[in-house]
Amino acid sequence: QHNTRGMLVFANRPRLRELPPQMHILGASVTHLDLSNCGLSELPTLGSMKLQKLYLSKNNFEHFPTVLLTVAGADLRVIDMGHNQLRSIPDAFAQLSKLEQILLEYNQIETICDLDHMTNLQVLELTDNNLKSLPLSISRLSKLWRLRVKANPLVNIPPDVFQGGVQAIKAYFADSTANLPIPASCFVSDIKRANEEDDADVVIRCDAAAFEA
């Protein structure tokens, strides 16, 4: 039996407040959901969706949506909350242990949770936040290969460590507790968002105008 995966695209709907009721009929067949640039500060009810990839960039989120700690986020592999107003990533976020990519650039994040349980994490994007330090648990993320922390007031990693790349940073955290200043211009590697539509069997572009408040 073939399990069809679908991507719902509601991006660029600045007055969207809820998903059309008939969308929930698709339920668990929806694995990719794009709600970028919809003016959201809270996540609409996701029903029985079991998401693998969720895009929430360019919204007004100040807090991490706790609805993702339910069945809707249990299989989440990619989350994009870049360009929001997040100030912290709570400890509960670490429950999303299947995450492979976390994209949080251009927020106001000052603290980030311990990442020990995120053993599948490969990409971490934290550009342009207010982080003064990174969690030491980064040293134990064996699959992490791409990290970007440009334009953060980091003080716990010396510049020469950055020149060695991700593995050097992980080794530094494993062996040292130094607290040295680092220029905000230093960064390790770039992150590019791929065209995720190619990873879905079905892409549903929704004209949501009738459902906007």
Side-chain angles (χ1 to χ4, degrees), residues 36-126:
S36 302
N37 195 28
C38 287
L40 298 173
S41 57
E42 296 183 2
L43 193 60
T45 301
L46 299 177
S48 59
M49 294 181 188
K50 295 183 179 180
L51 297 175
Q52 295 180 13
K53 301 183 180 182
L54 175 62
Y55 302 103
L56 299 172
S57 64
K58 298 180 181 179
N59 280 293
N60 300 312
F61 288 97
E62 296 183 3
H63 306 286
F64 177 76
T66 55
V67 66
L68 294 179
L69 302 177
T70 65
V71 65
D75 294 323
L76 203 60
R77 293 189 285 115
V78 176
I79 185 167
D80 183 354
M81 293 192 71
H83 297 266
N84 276 281
Q85 301 174 38
L86 299 173
R87 293 186 177 275
S88 66
I89 302 301
D91 291 341
F93 185 77
Q95 296 178 28
L96 303 177
S97 59
K98 294 185 179 180
L99 276 172
E100 297 174 1
Q101 297 184 35
I102 301 174
L103 311 179
L104 299 172
E105 72 277 14
Y106 297 98
N107 277 279
Q108 303 171 36
I109 298 171
E110 298 178 354
T111 60
I112 187 168
C113 66
D114 186 90
L115 302 174
D116 255 333
H117 296 293
M118 294 189 171
T119 55
N120 293 300
L121 191 60
Q122 300 176 29
V123 174
L124 182 58
E125 165 64 87
L126 294 167

